Amino acid sequence: MQLESTFSVVAPIDEVWETLMDFERVAGCVPGAQVLNKLSEDAYQVSLKVKLGPVSMQYRGQLTVVERDATAHRAAFEGKAQEARGQGTAQGTATLVLVESAGTTTGTVSADVDLSGKVAAMGKSIIGGVTDQMMALFAENLQKMVGEAREDTAGVSPADTPGEQPVEPEKPHTGPEISPTVRPSSVRPSPPASPSTGSPNTATSLNAVALVKGMIMDRLTPAKLLGLVAAVAYVAYRLGRRAESRTPSSRTVSR
């Protein structure tokens, strides 16, 4: 029995291809399909529940990828299954081809199926109608899956990645850091005063003399001041006499 179905997804062809090649994930988009076990990179143990009119059946079998061309976006499969409760069997081959146009990817599935048991008596029209319904649900679920993957990718930023934190580039060292609220003074500080090696400052000396004079005038009464003047005059007289006695007399006549 020859069957052909198509589906469309609004997404880039490479994105749809990668999603379809993840069989364990995309199996959930097929109504009633489930991957039971991954046997190898190209072989899977699968199950499928399907209802044809009043008859419900469950198949278990193996799906094998016999061709996978990422450049041409083409893949070929073969499968063989048997009813879980009954004598019916299903086996066949299928080819998937993807084509993109104006941002929409269209997939075409061409299958050659050999059926036996109750399902074989249903006829191609019933089986074809059920296949088209399943393909429409598959396309709807696939569109949601691709959209959710885009939202998850857009919602992750580099700062949210665990173990990776943004690092600010190190600023070149240009000198001591200055607080923004403190501005350096444009006036250079005066150097510390060194011990004086010459004559004292005139203004400072005058101030000292005036201070001593004021202290003396405040503490001496007129009587004490008169006595001090007399004592100073006496001392000056005695010093003058002593100096005169040490000087040779100019009246001495040399012989």
Side-chain angles (χ1 to χ4, degrees), residues 139-150:
E140 182 179 346
N141 295 334
L142 181 61
Q143 183 71 69
K144 292 179 180 179
M145 180 178 291
V146 172
E148 290 174 356
R150 285 184 174 182

Side-chain angles (χ1 to χ4, degrees), residues 124-212:
K124 183 177 179 179
S125 60
I126 297 178
I127 296 175
V130 172
T131 302
D132 291 341
Q133 292 177 9
M134 293 178 62
M135 192 61 68
L137 293 173
F138 168 77
E140 182 179 346
N141 295 334
L142 181 61
Q143 183 71 69
K144 292 179 180 179
M145 180 178 291
V146 172
E148 290 174 356
R150 285 184 174 182
E151 291 178 359
D152 293 341
T153 303
V156 177
S157 62
D160 299 331
T161 305
E164 298 181 2
Q165 299 296 333
V167 179
E168 295 183 0
E170 182 179 357
K171 297 181 180 180
H173 182 71
T174 57
E177 296 184 358
I178 301 176
S179 172
T181 58
V182 180
R183 297 182 179 178
S185 175
S186 59
V187 181
R188 296 183 178 179
S190 301
S194 57
S196 177
T197 55
S199 59
N201 186 272
T202 305
T204 304
S205 299
L206 291 176
N207 291 339
V209 171
L211 178 61
V212 173

Side-chain angles (χ1 to χ4, degrees), residues 228-248:
L228 178 61
V229 173
V232 172
Y234 176 76
V235 171
Y237 171 77
R238 296 294 298 175
L239 291 175
R241 293 289 295 174
R242 184 177 298 179
E244 185 178 355
S245 63
R246 292 179 180 180
T247 303

Side-chain angles (χ1 to χ4, degrees), residues 63-64 66 74-79 92-96 109-113:
L63 175 68
T64 304
V66 296
R74 181 180 184 277
F77 314 91
E78 65 178 14
T93 60
T95 302
L96 168 67
V109 180
S110 302
D112 184 2
V113 183

